[in-house]
Amino acid sequence: MEPDILAQHIYSQNPINLESSNKEYVKILAKSFGMSENDIVAIQKHILSKKTTDKMKDDYEVALHKKVHELKQRNGSAARKDFVVNVLAPYFDALSRNQIYKSGMENEIFERDVCQLYEKFFPGDNAAQSLYAFMNASKIYFSGESFNVDYLNAINRNLLRYGLSLDFELQSTANLLSVQDTLLPMTVYKGDSLAAIKLKRFIPGLMPSKSGYYTIGMHYVVVLDDMIAAHAESDFLELEKGELYKKYDDKRFERFWRYLGMNMTLQKASEIYNFLMKKDFEGKPIAYIKRAEELNTTIHETKHIVDQIEHPELTLNLDAEFSAHITEAVFSPVPNVALLSAIQRMENYAMIQRQPYLNQVVAKLWTIAERSAYEKQYTNDSLRYDLANLYNNYRTIRENAFFEPLNEFAEKIVNKL
């Protein structure tokens, strides 16, 4: 990325401390933005050389304008990559926060040029019109209208043909990511279809906190390699310390557990957490942890799509999350770790909702976790059996309906993974 474009791109995402050369701080920035530590120091100096944020933005706009003009004369894969890195990626990111290039006619001319370049480098059905519609849909969102995800899906259907995908979050960030792997090939499922792909960052930028997701209207789920790697490293370092990690230290949890009639303390909950993490991950290399987390995320997100196929009438998010988390734990190579994830998600829902049925679910999950932590004869197969029973007997809160049995999901999805 050109230095003047990179400077605005980075600083607009997060106004970093420009004068701190603290090694830990630089290291954190490097990991956060997907850059080397030397490049972080270099961009700090480059931003400081601009003196003011207005000067930095002016130089960014000049560099962007120059790049667009230059790319009109170029063709081929190298020019396409240059367009992606220096025009499309920073433009999408700025658009996600409504930070348009300029105002008035200058912005309209710039956006028209970007749309034409997009069609030139990513030819497809009505490529320029699709991008223009997406631009407008994003901008009117900031004037109070809803955003139609179909416009984003149209962009991604085209980009995927070239090994790219746009992760776009309004009022946050946008990342153009490369397709690193196909985790699940397109699979027919009950008259519909689904697939799973792994995306990886190749342009500097902040990643969202999620490990994976799926977008309504698309037939594939996304797993974010950078975030999976970050979580795996965090788990590995936590285990390496070899001491009790105080996962629970907020007294509100203790009050909530008492409200549920549970005999649970912060100390005991943290102890169970540590036991279960060690049960699945102790002594394992970081590559194993990463692959296990990747499988967990893929199973979780594909279950969301399958539930949409099987029960499109189910609309309550906490029901969907229960289904995905428990399915993840049943089929996970690290079921205790997946169980902990299920507890954390469902417990957070329950503490806010105070819904009686959901409270029962949380209490049952903790009972299963306690048995897995303390009973030697309680194996991973015992754990999976109890979780499958919990899943099979669960009734959705709004519709009072059962989820479909997991046999077909196991055969068509899990076996392929």
Side-chain angles (χ1 to χ4, degrees):
M1 194 174 267
E2 299 283 347
D4 284 343
I5 296 174
L6 179 62
Q8 174 69 15
H9 179 64
I10 292 295
Y11 201 74
S12 65
Q13 287 189 16
N14 191 340
I16 60 176
N17 185 338
L18 301 173
E19 299 185 8
S20 174
S21 56
N22 177 279
K23 286 187 177 181
E24 251 339 281
Y25 180 67
V26 170
K27 186 177 180 181
I28 289 169
L29 288 182
K31 283 188 177 182
S32 298
F33 286 102
M35 300 166 69
S36 72
E37 291 175 36
N38 286 340
D39 285 342
I40 286 291
V41 172
I43 202 65
Q44 283 177 309
K45 291 177 180 177
H46 188 80
I47 295 171
L48 277 172
S49 73
K50 300 298 175 181
K51 306 296 184 187
T52 67
T53 53
D54 285 343
K55 177 70 165 68
M56 180 173 66
K57 189 170 189 297
D58 287 344
D59 289 351
Y60 158 76
E61 290 173 352
V62 168
L64 210 53
H65 180 79
K66 182 180 176 183
K67 182 60 69 175
V68 166
H69 182 73
E70 172 197 323
L71 285 166
K72 289 180 181 180
Q73 319 304 319
R74 291 172 58 196
N75 294 289
S77 58
R80 179 193 292 136
K81 187 173 183 181
D82 200 2
F83 171 66
V84 167
V85 172
N86 283 301
V87 178
L88 205 56
Y91 175 77
F92 279 145
D93 185 61
L95 185 66
S96 72
R97 294 184 297 280
N98 201 32
Q99 297 170 343
I100 60 174
Y101 170 70
K102 286 189 176 181
S103 60
M105 185 60 70
E106 284 183 286
N107 190 62
E108 289 181 25
I109 294 169
F110 171 76
E111 289 182 346
R112 181 198 64 200
D113 288 343
V114 171
C115 288
Q116 288 173 351
L117 285 172
Y118 176 71
E119 180 138 33
K120 172 183 172 180
F121 291 118
F122 296 95
D125 294 337
N126 301 315
Q129 292 94 321
S130 292
L131 180 56
Y132 187 71
F134 173 71
M135 290 173 171
N136 283 338
S138 303
K139 284 185 284 189
I140 65 172
Y141 166 83
F142 288 96
S143 63
E145 296 193 30
S146 59
F147 177 78
N148 188 338
V149 76
D150 289 345
Y151 294 117
L152 173 60
N153 292 345
I155 296 295
N156 272 327
R157 286 190 190 97
N158 194 35
L159 287 173
L160 278 169
R161 295 163 56 210
Y162 300 87
L164 299 173
S165 184
L166 173 63
D167 177 25
F168 189 82
E169 292 194 358
L170 285 158
Q171 297 181 311
S172 181
T173 57
N175 286 283
L176 265 172
L177 306 165
S178 65
V179 179
Q180 188 183 39
D181 196 7
T182 298
L183 301 173
L184 178 74
M186 193 59 74
T187 300
V188 175
Y189 198 96
K190 293 188 177 178
D192 214 314
S193 58
L194 68 151
I197 58 175
K198 179 163 63 172
L199 302 181
K200 188 169 179 61
R201 176 173 52 186
F202 69 103
I203 297 169
L206 293 176
M207 293 288 287
S209 59
K210 61 198 177 191
S211 297
Y213 63 93
Y214 86 104
T215 306
I216 292 172
M218 295 297 272
H219 292 274
Y220 65 88
V221 302
V222 164
V223 175
L224 298 174
D225 184 75
D226 297 82
M227 297 310 296
I228 295 288
H231 292 155
E233 183 181 8
S234 175
D235 289 340
F236 184 78
L237 293 174
E238 183 185 304
L239 288 161
E240 240 190 359
K241 288 179 181 176
E243 58 190 46
L244 183 76
Y245 174 63
K246 291 185 178 179
K247 180 68 177 179
Y248 289 90
D249 59 3
D250 188 333
K251 287 285 186 182
R252 284 176 297 180
F253 284 103
E254 229 166 43
R255 289 195 293 272
F256 179 64
W257 295 328
R258 279 200 301 271
Y259 169 74
L260 298 188
M262 292 170 55
N263 180 27
M264 185 69 68
T265 63
L266 296 176
Q267 173 70 17
K268 185 177 178 182
S270 290
E271 194 175 80
I272 290 171
Y273 173 86
N274 281 261
F275 281 167
L276 296 188
M277 287 291 288
K278 287 178 181 178
K279 196 170 182 179
D280 282 346
F281 282 159
E282 191 169 39
K284 296 291 194 295
I286 194 167
Y288 175 90
I289 296 174
K290 184 186 175 190
R291 177 60 179 148
E293 296 279 17
E294 183 181 284
L295 280 167
N296 282 359
T297 301
T298 311
I299 292 167
H300 183 108
E301 298 301 333
T302 52
K303 188 56 164 71
H304 279 314
I305 288 193
V306 164
D307 284 339
Q308 286 288 315
I309 293 169
E310 293 176 334
H311 291 289
E313 76 281 2
L314 298 182
T315 55
L316 201 59
N317 190 48
L318 60 88
D319 284 333
E321 288 302 332
F322 169 86
S323 171
H325 272 291
I326 301 306
T327 302
E328 171 191 336
V330 168
F331 295 113
S332 171
V334 287
N336 295 283
V337 170
L339 170 60
L340 291 171
S341 179
I343 288 173
Q344 287 161 41
R345 176 63 67 85
M346 302 317 294
E347 194 166 56
N348 285 335
Y349 277 131
M351 289 177 75
I352 295 167
Q353 302 285 343
R354 296 298 173 104
Q355 208 280 342
Y357 186 58
L358 190 56
N359 292 343
Q360 292 174 33
V361 168
V362 171
K364 287 175 183 176
L365 288 172
W366 269 114
T367 299
I368 293 170
E370 191 170 358
R371 292 193 67 191
S372 189
Y374 297 125
E375 296 180 17
K376 288 185 178 179
Q377 73 275 20
Y378 195 84
T379 65
N380 283 352
D381 285 340
S382 307
L383 169 60
R384 291 189 176 97
Y385 178 82
D386 284 346
L387 287 171
N389 273 341
L390 184 61
Y391 171 90
N392 289 330
N393 292 314
Y394 183 87
R395 302 294 287 264
T396 60
I397 290 169
R398 186 171 288 161
E399 296 83 4
N400 196 35
F402 291 109
F403 286 105
E404 297 300 306
L406 292 171
N407 310 60
E408 192 168 356
F409 184 83
E411 178 190 340
K412 292 188 175 178
I413 307 299
V414 178
N415 286 349
K416 286 189 178 182
L417 291 172

